[in-house]
Amino acid sequence: MEQLQNRRSVARFDDTGFIRMRMDGLPDEQVWWKNVSFDEETGQGSYLMKMAPGTRSNPHIHHGPEEFFVLEGDLTDHDGFCYRSGDFVSLAAGSSHCSHTEAGCLLLVTHRGATESIQEGAL
């Protein structure tokens, strides 16, 4: 049996390795991510996400469930619902949204299916 140390990975918010998150239609937004276990082909897995103050995400639909935990800061969905530090959020498959943050935020995000960019009017 292989030792645990050979099967473990650890990601931290204070480490280097974050890269700019590509968001259709919003090339200048200061949103960064670090892959933990996310498979871009299947749209499944987890990643760490940092959003700078005043940034937003692009409108998108989830073809599988999304869950995220707000570790620090605030995040407001397009319908005005505001998440804050300590909130664990589950969005069902088929949900669509876009979000923005006033103060900035740190999130742990898990997807169990692909996401697709949509037009803001489709929300």
Side-chain angles (χ1 to χ4, degrees), residues 85-122:
S85 181
D87 287 346
F88 185 86
V89 181
S90 291
L91 299 174
S95 61
S96 57
H97 68 131
C98 61
S99 308
H100 70 276
T101 177
E102 294 297 320
C105 60
L106 300 178
L107 307 172
L108 169 61
V109 181
T110 299
H111 292 274
R112 291 190 305 274
T115 61
E116 177 185 351
S117 294
I118 59 174
Q119 295 298 318
E120 198 159 346

PDB file of all heavy atoms in Angstrom, residues 85-122:
ATOM      1  N   SER A  85     -18.813  35.802   5.004  1.00  0.00           N
ATOM      2  CA  SER A  85     -17.855  34.875   5.587  1.00  0.00           C
ATOM      3  C   SER A  85     -18.567  33.863   6.474  1.00  0.00           C
ATOM      4  O   SER A  85     -19.397  34.219   7.305  1.00  0.00           O
ATOM      5  CB  SER A  85     -16.832  35.674   6.401  1.00  0.00           C
ATOM      6  OG  SER A  85     -15.881  34.811   6.963  1.00  0.00           O
ATOM      7  N   GLY A  86     -18.256  32.582   6.266  1.00  0.00           N
ATOM      8  CA  GLY A  86     -18.866  31.507   7.037  1.00  0.00           C
ATOM      9  C   GLY A  86     -20.027  30.831   6.343  1.00  0.00           C
ATOM     10  O   GLY A  86     -20.487  29.785   6.788  1.00  0.00           O
ATOM     11  N   ASP A  87     -20.527  31.392   5.221  1.00  0.00           N
ATOM     12  CA  ASP A  87     -21.641  30.789   4.500  1.00  0.00           C
ATOM     13  C   ASP A  87     -21.148  29.644   3.608  1.00  0.00           C
ATOM     14  O   ASP A  87     -20.157  29.780   2.885  1.00  0.00           O
ATOM     15  CB  ASP A  87     -22.355  31.807   3.605  1.00  0.00           C
ATOM     16  CG  ASP A  87     -23.199  32.794   4.389  1.00  0.00           C
ATOM     17  OD1 ASP A  87     -23.456  32.552   5.589  1.00  0.00           O
ATOM     18  OD2 ASP A  87     -23.604  33.807   3.791  1.00  0.00           O
ATOM     19  N   PHE A  88     -21.858  28.518   3.663  1.00  0.00           N
ATOM     20  CA  PHE A  88     -21.644  27.403   2.751  1.00  0.00           C
ATOM     21  C   PHE A  88     -22.849  27.362   1.834  1.00  0.00           C
ATOM     22  O   PHE A  88     -23.988  27.262   2.307  1.00  0.00           O
ATOM     23  CB  PHE A  88     -21.496  26.078   3.504  1.00  0.00           C
ATOM     24  CG  PHE A  88     -21.152  24.937   2.593  1.00  0.00           C
ATOM     25  CD1 PHE A  88     -19.831  24.676   2.264  1.00  0.00           C
ATOM     26  CD2 PHE A  88     -22.145  24.149   2.038  1.00  0.00           C
ATOM     27  CE1 PHE A  88     -19.499  23.629   1.410  1.00  0.00           C
ATOM     28  CE2 PHE A  88     -21.826  23.099   1.180  1.00  0.00           C
ATOM     29  CZ  PHE A  88     -20.504  22.836   0.868  1.00  0.00           C
ATOM     30  N   VAL A  89     -22.626  27.450   0.537  1.00  0.00           N
ATOM     31  CA  VAL A  89     -23.697  27.635  -0.442  1.00  0.00           C
ATOM     32  C   VAL A  89     -23.760  26.432  -1.383  1.00  0.00           C
ATOM     33  O   VAL A  89     -22.728  25.990  -1.890  1.00  0.00           O
ATOM     34  CB  VAL A  89     -23.456  28.919  -1.268  1.00  0.00           C
ATOM     35  CG1 VAL A  89     -24.561  29.142  -2.278  1.00  0.00           C
ATOM     36  CG2 VAL A  89     -23.283  30.117  -0.344  1.00  0.00           C
ATOM     37  N   SER A  90     -24.949  25.917  -1.615  1.00  0.00           N
ATOM     38  CA  SER A  90     -25.178  24.857  -2.598  1.00  0.00           C
ATOM     39  C   SER A  90     -26.123  25.386  -3.660  1.00  0.00           C
ATOM     40  O   SER A  90     -27.219  25.855  -3.336  1.00  0.00           O
ATOM     41  CB  SER A  90     -25.807  23.627  -1.944  1.00  0.00           C
ATOM     42  OG  SER A  90     -24.888  22.990  -1.096  1.00  0.00           O
ATOM     43  N   LEU A  91     -25.708  25.306  -4.910  1.00  0.00           N
ATOM     44  CA  LEU A  91     -26.547  25.694  -6.040  1.00  0.00           C
ATOM     45  C   LEU A  91     -26.822  24.439  -6.869  1.00  0.00           C
ATOM     46  O   LEU A  91     -25.891  23.730  -7.251  1.00  0.00           O
ATOM     47  CB  LEU A  91     -25.851  26.749  -6.900  1.00  0.00           C
ATOM     48  CG  LEU A  91     -25.525  28.073  -6.195  1.00  0.00           C
ATOM     49  CD1 LEU A  91     -24.697  28.972  -7.108  1.00  0.00           C
ATOM     50  CD2 LEU A  91     -26.796  28.773  -5.755  1.00  0.00           C
ATOM     51  N   ALA A  92     -28.070  24.170  -7.134  1.00  0.00           N
ATOM     52  CA  ALA A  92     -28.463  22.969  -7.857  1.00  0.00           C
ATOM     53  C   ALA A  92     -28.089  23.053  -9.334  1.00  0.00           C
ATOM     54  O   ALA A  92     -27.967  24.140  -9.906  1.00  0.00           O
ATOM     55  CB  ALA A  92     -29.974  22.762  -7.722  1.00  0.00           C
ATOM     56  N   ALA A  93     -27.939  21.877  -9.945  1.00  0.00           N
ATOM     57  CA  ALA A  93     -27.725  21.808 -11.391  1.00  0.00           C
ATOM     58  C   ALA A  93     -28.859  22.559 -12.082  1.00  0.00           C
ATOM     59  O   ALA A  93     -30.007  22.490 -11.663  1.00  0.00           O
ATOM     60  CB  ALA A  93     -27.698  20.354 -11.844  1.00  0.00           C
ATOM     61  N   GLY A  94     -28.518  23.317 -13.106  1.00  0.00           N
ATOM     62  CA  GLY A  94     -29.499  24.110 -13.833  1.00  0.00           C
ATOM     63  C   GLY A  94     -29.605  25.538 -13.346  1.00  0.00           C
ATOM     64  O   GLY A  94     -30.245  26.365 -13.986  1.00  0.00           O
ATOM     65  N   SER A  95     -28.968  25.841 -12.208  1.00  0.00           N
ATOM     66  CA  SER A  95     -29.014  27.221 -11.708  1.00  0.00           C
ATOM     67  C   SER A  95     -28.077  28.097 -12.529  1.00  0.00           C
ATOM     68  O   SER A  95     -27.073  27.643 -13.063  1.00  0.00           O
ATOM     69  CB  SER A  95     -28.652  27.280 -10.223  1.00  0.00           C
ATOM     70  OG  SER A  95     -27.343  26.792 -10.010  1.00  0.00           O
ATOM     71  N   SER A  96     -28.433  29.355 -12.639  1.00  0.00           N
ATOM     72  CA  SER A  96     -27.597  30.313 -13.363  1.00  0.00           C
ATOM     73  C   SER A  96     -27.481  31.580 -12.533  1.00  0.00           C
ATOM     74  O   SER A  96     -28.408  31.950 -11.818  1.00  0.00           O
ATOM     75  CB  SER A  96     -28.174  30.616 -14.740  1.00  0.00           C
ATOM     76  OG  SER A  96     -29.488  31.098 -14.648  1.00  0.00           O
ATOM     77  N   HIS A  97     -26.320  32.219 -12.628  1.00  0.00           N
ATOM     78  CA  HIS A  97     -26.097  33.432 -11.854  1.00  0.00           C
ATOM     79  C   HIS A  97     -24.829  34.137 -12.321  1.00  0.00           C
ATOM     80  O   HIS A  97     -24.060  33.618 -13.122  1.00  0.00           O
ATOM     81  CB  HIS A  97     -25.993  33.110 -10.350  1.00  0.00           C
ATOM     82  CG  HIS A  97     -24.781  32.332  -9.959  1.00  0.00           C
ATOM     83  ND1 HIS A  97     -23.970  32.687  -8.906  1.00  0.00           N
ATOM     84  CD2 HIS A  97     -24.230  31.216 -10.461  1.00  0.00           C
ATOM     85  CE1 HIS A  97     -22.987  31.824  -8.782  1.00  0.00           C
ATOM     86  NE2 HIS A  97     -23.121  30.917  -9.712  1.00  0.00           N
ATOM     87  N   CYS A  98     -24.635  35.331 -11.808  1.00  0.00           N
ATOM     88  CA  CYS A  98     -23.368  36.047 -11.850  1.00  0.00           C
ATOM     89  C   CYS A  98     -23.267  36.751 -10.505  1.00  0.00           C
ATOM     90  O   CYS A  98     -24.282  37.000  -9.851  1.00  0.00           O
ATOM     91  CB  CYS A  98     -23.258  37.009 -13.021  1.00  0.00           C
ATOM     92  SG  CYS A  98     -24.465  38.333 -13.066  1.00  0.00           S
ATOM     93  N   SER A  99     -22.058  37.008 -10.073  1.00  0.00           N
ATOM     94  CA  SER A  99     -21.849  37.547  -8.733  1.00  0.00           C
ATOM     95  C   SER A  99     -20.864  38.699  -8.777  1.00  0.00           C
ATOM     96  O   SER A  99     -20.085  38.835  -9.719  1.00  0.00           O
ATOM     97  CB  SER A  99     -21.275  36.453  -7.814  1.00  0.00           C
ATOM     98  OG  SER A  99     -22.062  35.290  -7.857  1.00  0.00           O
ATOM     99  N   HIS A 100     -20.891  39.516  -7.710  1.00  0.00           N
ATOM    100  CA  HIS A 100     -19.887  40.563  -7.553  1.00  0.00           C
ATOM    101  C   HIS A 100     -19.534  40.672  -6.066  1.00  0.00           C
ATOM    102  O   HIS A 100     -20.278  40.211  -5.200  1.00  0.00           O
ATOM    103  CB  HIS A 100     -20.376  41.904  -8.106  1.00  0.00           C
ATOM    104  CG  HIS A 100     -21.471  42.525  -7.298  1.00  0.00           C
ATOM    105  ND1 HIS A 100     -22.795  42.183  -7.465  1.00  0.00           N
ATOM    106  CD2 HIS A 100     -21.442  43.442  -6.303  1.00  0.00           C
ATOM    107  CE1 HIS A 100     -23.533  42.881  -6.614  1.00  0.00           C
ATOM    108  NE2 HIS A 100     -22.736  43.654  -5.892  1.00  0.00           N
ATOM    109  N   THR A 101     -18.382  41.284  -5.801  1.00  0.00           N
ATOM    110  CA  THR A 101     -17.942  41.474  -4.428  1.00  0.00           C
ATOM    111  C   THR A 101     -17.532  42.920  -4.219  1.00  0.00           C
ATOM    112  O   THR A 101     -16.848  43.505  -5.058  1.00  0.00           O
ATOM    113  CB  THR A 101     -16.781  40.529  -4.058  1.00  0.00           C
ATOM    114  OG1 THR A 101     -16.342  40.803  -2.724  1.00  0.00           O
ATOM    115  CG2 THR A 101     -15.604  40.628  -5.010  1.00  0.00           C
ATOM    116  N   GLU A 102     -17.968  43.493  -3.121  1.00  0.00           N
ATOM    117  CA  GLU A 102     -17.571  44.861  -2.767  1.00  0.00           C
ATOM    118  C   GLU A 102     -16.197  44.872  -2.105  1.00  0.00           C
ATOM    119  O   GLU A 102     -15.320  45.617  -2.486  1.00  0.00           O
ATOM    120  CB  GLU A 102     -18.611  45.492  -1.841  1.00  0.00           C
ATOM    121  CG  GLU A 102     -19.968  45.717  -2.484  1.00  0.00           C
ATOM    122  CD  GLU A 102     -19.922  46.686  -3.647  1.00  0.00           C
ATOM    123  OE1 GLU A 102     -19.206  47.707  -3.564  1.00  0.00           O
ATOM    124  OE2 GLU A 102     -20.608  46.430  -4.650  1.00  0.00           O
ATOM    125  N   ALA A 103     -16.023  44.039  -1.097  1.00  0.00           N
ATOM    126  CA  ALA A 103     -14.801  44.046  -0.285  1.00  0.00           C
ATOM    127  C   ALA A 103     -13.750  43.063  -0.764  1.00  0.00           C
ATOM    128  O   ALA A 103     -12.620  43.081  -0.283  1.00  0.00           O
ATOM    129  CB  ALA A 103     -15.153  43.734   1.170  1.00  0.00           C
ATOM    130  N   GLY A 104     -14.110  42.169  -1.700  1.00  0.00           N
ATOM    131  CA  GLY A 104     -13.232  41.080  -2.096  1.00  0.00           C
ATOM    132  C   GLY A 104     -13.603  39.846  -1.302  1.00  0.00           C
ATOM    133  O   GLY A 104     -14.291  39.926  -0.286  1.00  0.00           O
ATOM    134  N   CYS A 105     -13.163  38.682  -1.780  1.00  0.00           N
ATOM    135  CA  CYS A 105     -13.497  37.458  -1.053  1.00  0.00           C
ATOM    136  C   CYS A 105     -12.525  36.341  -1.383  1.00  0.00           C
ATOM    137  O   CYS A 105     -11.825  36.368  -2.397  1.00  0.00           O
ATOM    138  CB  CYS A 105     -14.932  37.021  -1.331  1.00  0.00           C
ATOM    139  SG  CYS A 105     -15.319  36.662  -3.050  1.00  0.00           S
ATOM    140  N   LEU A 106     -12.516  35.357  -0.486  1.00  0.00           N
ATOM    141  CA  LEU A 106     -11.792  34.103  -0.659  1.00  0.00           C
ATOM    142  C   LEU A 106     -12.835  32.997  -0.602  1.00  0.00           C
ATOM    143  O   LEU A 106     -13.638  32.937   0.328  1.00  0.00           O
ATOM    144  CB  LEU A 106     -10.768  33.892   0.453  1.00  0.00           C
ATOM    145  CG  LEU A 106      -9.674  34.937   0.615  1.00  0.00           C
ATOM    146  CD1 LEU A 106      -8.779  34.576   1.801  1.00  0.00           C
ATOM    147  CD2 LEU A 106      -8.854  35.074  -0.649  1.00  0.00           C
ATOM    148  N   LEU A 107     -12.816  32.122  -1.596  1.00  0.00           N
ATOM    149  CA  LEU A 107     -13.802  31.047  -1.693  1.00  0.00           C
ATOM    150  C   LEU A 107     -13.132  29.707  -1.916  1.00  0.00           C
ATOM    151  O   LEU A 107     -12.103  29.623  -2.596  1.00  0.00           O
ATOM    152  CB  LEU A 107     -14.743  31.285  -2.885  1.00  0.00           C
ATOM    153  CG  LEU A 107     -15.456  32.615  -3.019  1.00  0.00           C
ATOM    154  CD1 LEU A 107     -16.164  32.699  -4.366  1.00  0.00           C
ATOM    155  CD2 LEU A 107     -16.431  32.811  -1.890  1.00  0.00           C
ATOM    156  N   LEU A 108     -13.730  28.666  -1.389  1.00  0.00           N
ATOM    157  CA  LEU A 108     -13.416  27.293  -1.759  1.00  0.00           C
ATOM    158  C   LEU A 108     -14.590  26.825  -2.597  1.00  0.00           C
ATOM    159  O   LEU A 108     -15.740  26.833  -2.124  1.00  0.00           O
ATOM    160  CB  LEU A 108     -13.258  26.408  -0.526  1.00  0.00           C
ATOM    161  CG  LEU A 108     -13.197  24.911  -0.793  1.00  0.00           C
ATOM    162  CD1 LEU A 108     -12.008  24.552  -1.670  1.00  0.00           C
ATOM    163  CD2 LEU A 108     -13.152  24.146   0.509  1.00  0.00           C
ATOM    164  N   VAL A 109     -14.339  26.452  -3.858  1.00  0.00           N
ATOM    165  CA  VAL A 109     -15.405  26.144  -4.816  1.00  0.00           C
ATOM    166  C   VAL A 109     -15.297  24.684  -5.264  1.00  0.00           C
ATOM    167  O   VAL A 109     -14.205  24.210  -5.557  1.00  0.00           O
ATOM    168  CB  VAL A 109     -15.307  27.070  -6.056  1.00  0.00           C
ATOM    169  CG1 VAL A 109     -16.431  26.778  -7.042  1.00  0.00           C
ATOM    170  CG2 VAL A 109     -15.297  28.533  -5.647  1.00  0.00           C
ATOM    171  N   THR A 110     -16.447  24.007  -5.337  1.00  0.00           N
ATOM    172  CA  THR A 110     -16.511  22.642  -5.861  1.00  0.00           C
ATOM    173  C   THR A 110     -17.611  22.561  -6.906  1.00  0.00           C
ATOM    174  O   THR A 110     -18.742  22.994  -6.667  1.00  0.00           O
ATOM    175  CB  THR A 110     -16.800  21.627  -4.733  1.00  0.00           C
ATOM    176  OG1 THR A 110     -15.750  21.692  -3.778  1.00  0.00           O
ATOM    177  CG2 THR A 110     -16.880  20.210  -5.273  1.00  0.00           C
ATOM    178  N   HIS A 111     -17.264  22.011  -8.071  1.00  0.00           N
ATOM    179  CA  HIS A 111     -18.220  21.784  -9.154  1.00  0.00           C
ATOM    180  C   HIS A 111     -18.376  20.281  -9.361  1.00  0.00           C
ATOM    181  O   HIS A 111     -17.407  19.537  -9.272  1.00  0.00           O
ATOM    182  CB  HIS A 111     -17.715  22.372 -10.481  1.00  0.00           C
ATOM    183  CG  HIS A 111     -17.660  23.852 -10.512  1.00  0.00           C
ATOM    184  ND1 HIS A 111     -18.749  24.621 -10.860  1.00  0.00           N
ATOM    185  CD2 HIS A 111     -16.658  24.720 -10.263  1.00  0.00           C
ATOM    186  CE1 HIS A 111     -18.406  25.904 -10.813  1.00  0.00           C
ATOM    187  NE2 HIS A 111     -17.144  25.982 -10.450  1.00  0.00           N
ATOM    188  N   ARG A 112     -19.595  19.878  -9.687  1.00  0.00           N
ATOM    189  CA  ARG A 112     -19.841  18.495 -10.075  1.00  0.00           C
ATOM    190  C   ARG A 112     -20.538  18.491 -11.437  1.00  0.00           C
ATOM    191  O   ARG A 112     -21.579  17.886 -11.631  1.00  0.00           O
ATOM    192  CB  ARG A 112     -20.662  17.773  -9.004  1.00  0.00           C
ATOM    193  CG  ARG A 112     -19.850  17.571  -7.730  1.00  0.00           C
ATOM    194  CD  ARG A 112     -20.505  16.657  -6.724  1.00  0.00           C
ATOM    195  NE  ARG A 112     -21.841  17.017  -6.326  1.00  0.00           N
ATOM    196  CZ  ARG A 112     -22.153  17.881  -5.348  1.00  0.00           C
ATOM    197  NH1 ARG A 112     -21.195  18.493  -4.682  1.00  0.00           N
ATOM    198  NH2 ARG A 112     -23.399  18.132  -5.045  1.00  0.00           N
ATOM    199  N   GLY A 113     -19.923  19.199 -12.355  1.00  0.00           N
ATOM    200  CA  GLY A 113     -20.431  19.317 -13.718  1.00  0.00           C
ATOM    201  C   GLY A 113     -19.950  20.611 -14.339  1.00  0.00           C
ATOM    202  O   GLY A 113     -19.505  21.520 -13.643  1.00  0.00           O
ATOM    203  N   ALA A 114     -20.032  20.688 -15.632  1.00  0.00           N
ATOM    204  CA  ALA A 114     -19.526  21.836 -16.379  1.00  0.00           C
ATOM    205  C   ALA A 114     -20.367  23.087 -16.148  1.00  0.00           C
ATOM    206  O   ALA A 114     -21.525  23.013 -15.752  1.00  0.00           O
ATOM    207  CB  ALA A 114     -19.498  21.494 -17.875  1.00  0.00           C
ATOM    208  N   THR A 115     -19.760  24.231 -16.428  1.00  0.00           N
ATOM    209  CA  THR A 115     -20.478  25.512 -16.459  1.00  0.00           C
ATOM    210  C   THR A 115     -20.383  26.049 -17.880  1.00  0.00           C
ATOM    211  O   THR A 115     -19.469  25.710 -18.630  1.00  0.00           O
ATOM    212  CB  THR A 115     -19.896  26.540 -15.475  1.00  0.00           C
ATOM    213  OG1 THR A 115     -18.545  26.797 -15.821  1.00  0.00           O
ATOM    214  CG2 THR A 115     -19.984  26.064 -14.048  1.00  0.00           C
ATOM    215  N   GLU A 116     -21.322  26.897 -18.221  1.00  0.00           N
ATOM    216  CA  GLU A 116     -21.380  27.483 -19.554  1.00  0.00           C
ATOM    217  C   GLU A 116     -21.699  28.958 -19.431  1.00  0.00           C
ATOM    218  O   GLU A 116     -22.640  29.329 -18.712  1.00  0.00           O
ATOM    219  CB  GLU A 116     -22.457  26.764 -20.359  1.00  0.00           C
ATOM    220  CG  GLU A 116     -22.678  27.302 -21.738  1.00  0.00           C
ATOM    221  CD  GLU A 116     -23.848  26.598 -22.430  1.00  0.00           C
ATOM    222  OE1 GLU A 116     -24.367  25.593 -21.915  1.00  0.00           O
ATOM    223  OE2 GLU A 116     -24.256  27.110 -23.487  1.00  0.00           O
ATOM    224  N   SER A 117     -20.926  29.795 -20.108  1.00  0.00           N
ATOM    225  CA  SER A 117     -21.213  31.230 -20.099  1.00  0.00           C
ATOM    226  C   SER A 117     -22.516  31.502 -20.843  1.00  0.00           C
ATOM    227  O   SER A 117     -22.825  30.844 -21.852  1.00  0.00           O
ATOM    228  CB  SER A 117     -20.082  32.002 -20.777  1.00  0.00           C
ATOM    229  OG  SER A 117     -18.903  31.897 -20.019  1.00  0.00           O
ATOM    230  N   ILE A 118     -23.289  32.460 -20.319  1.00  0.00           N
ATOM    231  CA  ILE A 118     -24.556  32.858 -20.938  1.00  0.00           C
ATOM    232  C   ILE A 118     -24.625  34.375 -20.985  1.00  0.00           C
ATOM    233  O   ILE A 118     -23.829  35.064 -20.347  1.00  0.00           O
ATOM    234  CB  ILE A 118     -25.777  32.274 -20.182  1.00  0.00           C
ATOM    235  CG1 ILE A 118     -25.777  32.751 -18.711  1.00  0.00           C
ATOM    236  CG2 ILE A 118     -25.798  30.759 -20.254  1.00  0.00           C
ATOM    237  CD1 ILE A 118     -27.011  32.342 -17.916  1.00  0.00           C
ATOM    238  N   GLN A 119     -25.600  34.890 -21.698  1.00  0.00           N
ATOM    239  CA  GLN A 119     -25.826  36.334 -21.763  1.00  0.00           C
ATOM    240  C   GLN A 119     -26.515  36.793 -20.475  1.00  0.00           C
ATOM    241  O   GLN A 119     -27.331  36.051 -19.906  1.00  0.00           O
ATOM    242  CB  GLN A 119     -26.699  36.683 -22.956  1.00  0.00           C
ATOM    243  CG  GLN A 119     -26.049  36.380 -24.291  1.00  0.00           C
ATOM    244  CD  GLN A 119     -24.782  37.185 -24.522  1.00  0.00           C
ATOM    245  OE1 GLN A 119     -24.724  38.376 -24.217  1.00  0.00           O
ATOM    246  NE2 GLN A 119     -23.753  36.541 -25.048  1.00  0.00           N
ATOM    247  N   GLU A 120     -26.206  38.004 -20.018  1.00  0.00           N
ATOM    248  CA  GLU A 120     -26.781  38.509 -18.784  1.00  0.00           C
ATOM    249  C   GLU A 120     -28.302  38.543 -18.834  1.00  0.00           C
ATOM    250  O   GLU A 120     -28.976  38.303 -17.836  1.00  0.00           O
ATOM    251  CB  GLU A 120     -26.221  39.896 -18.446  1.00  0.00           C
ATOM    252  CG  GLU A 120     -26.430  40.258 -17.011  1.00  0.00           C
ATOM    253  CD  GLU A 120     -25.472  41.325 -16.553  1.00  0.00           C
ATOM    254  OE1 GLU A 120     -24.485  41.620 -17.229  1.00  0.00           O
ATOM    255  OE2 GLU A 120     -25.733  41.874 -15.472  1.00  0.00           O
ATOM    256  N   GLY A 121     -28.870  38.799 -19.987  1.00  0.00           N
ATOM    257  CA  GLY A 121     -30.326  38.824 -20.121  1.00  0.00           C
ATOM    258  C   GLY A 121     -30.990  37.465 -19.930  1.00  0.00           C
ATOM    259  O   GLY A 121     -32.194  37.383 -19.744  1.00  0.00           O
ATOM    260  N   ALA A 122     -30.186  36.390 -19.958  1.00  0.00           N
ATOM    261  CA  ALA A 122     -30.745  35.039 -19.788  1.00  0.00           C
ATOM    262  C   ALA A 122     -30.910  34.669 -18.305  1.00  0.00           C
ATOM    263  O   ALA A 122     -31.473  33.630 -18.006  1.00  0.00           O
ATOM    264  CB  ALA A 122     -29.833  34.018 -20.477  1.00  0.00           C
TER     265      ALA A 122
END
